[in-house]
Amino acid sequence: MKKRLHLIIADAELETVPESIRDHPAIVNYARRRKKRPERIILDSTYHHAALRNLEDGERRGRPDIVHVCLLNALDSILNKEDRLRVYVHTRNDYVIYVDPETRLPRNYNRFIGLMESLFEKGAVPEDLKLLRLERKTLGELIEEINADAVFVMHENGNFMEPKHFGKLLTQFWKPVVVVGGFPHGDFRSKIEGVKVRLYKEPLMAWTIVNEVIVSYEWEIL
Amino acid sequence: MKKRLHLIIADAELETVPESIRDHPAIVNYARRRKKRPERIILDSTYHHAALRNLEDGERRGRPDIVHVCLLNALDSILNKEDRLRVYVHTRNDYVIYVDPETRLPRNYNRFIGLMESLFEKGAVPEDLKLLRLERKTLGELIEEINADAVFVMHENGNFMEPKHFGKLLTQFWKPVVVVGGFPHGDFRSKIEGVKVRLYKEPLMAWTIVNEVIVSYEWEIL
């Protein structure tokens, strides 16, 4: 068995437009422009800002861009090319996206959004290859399914550890899970059991943590 | 004096629509939809694919997304927060973008494109703060101006070096320049003198190299 890092982008702010704001003008106009039905659209704070004000947690929702940049960095990493990485996205509404390591994600953001809309509609894309697969699942269920021998949660109130020491620590396990919050600020919504770690004195962007963890682990394992 | 890494995204495929294709239907329609004049628009392979077929190097041009992801990773890095990084973008047509380390880049791709369009129109954005500044300059002139004590060019035919060893090597200089190609494939168009290095047996995406170099340098310098 090969040692492999399992990376979860958790509580990601990736969702289709919730029912309660589907008739908001910001949504209706955007849907019309994109020639899609409002319920098929991915919520995006850049365009749906006015509608988000009417939603709980509106100030942090609608951030598919965070998922996009994290996945680009993870999938194009040396660690992934060496088949030492598995990536998952867990979303606000308890969907889990299983990402095949061979996936070549669209580099263009708008194409990525189109892909996510297909995924939420069809449950898998492309429909034959199923490089991305969507399932209803909580973060806890996903972690249990992975059957990890250690779970680390990247958290601004965690114990400080230098990235290089954290990378070394991860190599002591066969199947470590690292959970990174896929939201712009605030705390995890899901309850997670795991060792809380922070890599810097200030909060970091999700993609910065992904890069630090992946490169530090590579150093030790490859 | 503090040791600092100077990172150049070079020969980046970031440009406004060239004159020869400004009346191509793919451009005209896109410009109309965006309510901008064709010459003010940033060339984008996702939307201008048909027009790009008529251009020299059309199969690699129009990739502002590469610049966007590289800059997000660089500016949000721990290295940049510690004021140990300077980033520059040098483009196909010999423009250089000076990026203030405090710049908070738009996370949304379409907003980033809007910002680049303003930058090419006005020469600096925002006009008062000038966090991004555009100047006509070759890659050679930029490197000379930085006055580096070492220049490394990340190149698929360079000498192989493990990222951690490369990070260590960089710390032996006060002002090392690392040049990363801001294009999807092929070779640099600019003539560059420097030590050619590759970090992996296969070509890597520009943002992967940026992440590897930054995190490996951090390890040694912080």
Side-chain angles (χ1 to χ4, degrees):
Chain A
M1 195 171 116
K2 247 193 217 174
K3 287 186 179 183
R4 243 191 223 116
L5 177 64
H6 292 251
L7 182 70
I8 306 178
I9 314 298
D11 288 331
E13 293 293 357
L14 173 67
E15 61 184 318
T16 51
V17 170
E19 200 168 354
S20 68
I21 58 166
R22 274 182 205 157
D23 52 2
H24 190 287
I27 302 290
V28 174
N29 291 332
Y30 176 87
R32 193 171 299 152
R33 211 163 58 237
R34 299 223 18 245
K35 299 189 178 84
K36 299 221 175 195
R37 282 157 51 187
E39 65 270 28
R40 290 280 159 80
I41 277 170
I42 297 289
L43 190 68
D44 191 324
S45 65
T46 298
Y47 310 107
H48 311 141
H49 189 74
L52 276 166
R53 271 190 249 127
N54 304 329
L55 276 186
E56 191 199 336
D57 290 341
E59 83 297 343
R60 66 180 261 181
R61 286 168 82 168
R63 294 299 305 273
D65 60 299
I66 295 176
V67 174
H68 187 219
V69 177
C70 287
L71 286 183
L72 285 177
N73 285 326
L75 291 170
D76 289 320
S77 69
I78 293 177
L79 195 68
N80 189 50
K81 287 170 189 279
E82 292 288 321
D83 195 25
R84 297 290 203 143
L85 179 67
R86 291 294 180 269
V87 198
Y88 314 81
V89 180
H90 161 267
T91 76
R92 152 176 292 267
N93 297 319
D94 287 331
Y95 284 98
V96 167
I97 304 173
Y98 293 83
V99 184
D100 187 289
E102 309 264 342
T103 309
R104 209 178 161 282
L105 214 65
R107 277 78 173 90
N108 177 276
Y109 176 71
N110 302 302
R111 280 200 181 154
F112 171 74
I113 294 297
L115 188 74
M116 289 300 106
E117 287 165 348
S118 294
L119 180 62
F120 274 90
E121 188 183 338
K122 294 172 184 161
V125 283
E127 283 178 276
D128 47 349
L129 278 174
K130 301 192 194 314
L131 293 176
L132 301 178
R133 210 157 38 78
L134 191 75
E135 280 184 28
R136 270 216 157 276
K137 199 162 285 181
T138 65
L139 181 57
E141 287 164 347
L142 173 63
I143 291 173
E144 199 169 317
E145 179 187 279
I146 293 173
N147 193 18
D149 47 2
V151 178
F152 298 95
V153 182
M154 309 313 287
H155 196 288
E156 56 189 84
N157 298 328
N159 296 311
F160 174 73
M161 210 179 253
E162 274 188 61
K164 59 182 147 193
H165 295 139
F166 185 54
K168 189 163 235 143
L169 175 61
L170 289 175
T171 61
Q172 294 174 15
F173 303 93
W174 282 99
K175 233 181 170 183
V177 161
V178 171
V179 181
V180 178
F183 43 84
H185 46 74
D187 203 350
F188 288 93
R189 303 176 68 243
S190 300
K191 224 179 137 297
I192 331 167
E193 310 229 343
V195 180
K196 285 185 188 169
V197 173
R198 72 185 162 88
L199 301 177
Y200 191 57
K201 61 192 176 200
E202 298 166 17
L204 296 168
M205 286 303 299
W207 52 79
T208 305
I209 304 173
V210 166
N211 296 336
E212 291 284 340
V213 171
I214 286 179
V215 176
S216 300
Y217 184 69
E218 269 171 28
W219 269 52
E220 297 293 338
I221 205 83
L222 296 183
Chain B
M1 193 172 118
K2 247 194 219 173
K3 288 186 178 183
R4 244 191 222 116
L5 177 65
H6 292 251
L7 182 70
I8 306 177
I9 314 299
D11 289 330
E13 294 292 357
L14 173 66
E15 61 184 319
T16 50
V17 169
E19 201 169 351
S20 68
I21 58 166
R22 274 183 205 155
D23 51 3
H24 189 286
I27 302 289
V28 173
N29 291 333
Y30 176 87
R32 193 172 298 151
R33 210 163 60 237
R34 300 225 15 247
K35 298 188 178 84
K36 298 221 175 194
R37 281 157 50 186
E39 65 269 30
R40 290 281 159 80
I41 277 170
I42 297 288
L43 190 68
D44 192 324
S45 65
T46 299
Y47 310 106
H48 311 141
H49 188 73
L52 275 166
R53 270 189 251 129
N54 305 328
L55 275 187
E56 191 199 335
D57 289 342
E59 83 297 343
R60 65 181 261 181
R61 285 167 83 168
R63 294 299 304 272
D65 59 299
I66 295 177
V67 175
H68 187 218
V69 177
C70 287
L71 287 182
L72 285 177
N73 285 325
L75 291 170
D76 288 321
S77 68
I78 292 176
L79 195 68
N80 189 49
K81 287 170 189 281
E82 292 288 321
D83 194 25
R84 297 290 203 142
L85 178 67
R86 291 294 180 267
V87 198
Y88 314 81
V89 180
H90 162 266
T91 76
R92 153 177 290 269
N93 297 318
D94 286 332
Y95 284 98
V96 167
I97 304 172
Y98 293 84
V99 183
D100 188 288
E102 309 265 343
T103 309
R104 207 178 162 283
L105 215 65
R107 276 78 173 90
N108 178 275
Y109 176 71
N110 302 302
R111 279 200 180 155
F112 172 74
I113 294 297
L115 188 74
M116 289 299 106
E117 287 165 348
S118 295
L119 179 62
F120 275 90
E121 186 184 340
K122 294 171 182 161
V125 283
E127 284 178 277
D128 46 349
L129 279 173
K130 301 192 194 313
L131 293 176
L132 300 178
R133 211 157 35 79
L134 191 74
E135 278 185 29
R136 269 215 157 277
K137 198 161 286 181
T138 64
L139 180 57
E141 288 166 344
L142 173 63
I143 291 173
E144 198 169 317
E145 177 187 280
I146 292 171
N147 194 18
D149 47 2
V151 178
F152 297 95
V153 182
M154 310 313 287
H155 196 287
E156 57 189 82
N157 299 328
N159 297 310
F160 175 72
M161 211 180 251
E162 274 189 59
K164 57 182 149 193
H165 296 140
F166 185 55
K168 189 164 236 144
L169 175 62
L170 289 175
T171 62
Q172 293 174 14
F173 303 94
W174 283 98
K175 231 181 173 185
V177 160
V178 172
V179 181
V180 178
F183 43 85
H185 46 74
D187 203 350
F188 288 93
R189 304 177 68 243
S190 300
K191 222 180 137 297
I192 330 167
E193 310 229 344
V195 180
K196 285 186 188 167
V197 173
R198 72 184 161 89
L199 301 177
Y200 192 56
K201 61 192 175 200
E202 298 167 16
L204 296 169
M205 286 303 299
W207 51 79
T208 306
I209 304 174
V210 165
N211 296 336
E212 291 284 341
V213 171
I214 287 179
V215 176
S216 299
Y217 184 69
E218 269 171 29
W219 269 53
E220 297 293 337
I221 205 84
L222 296 183

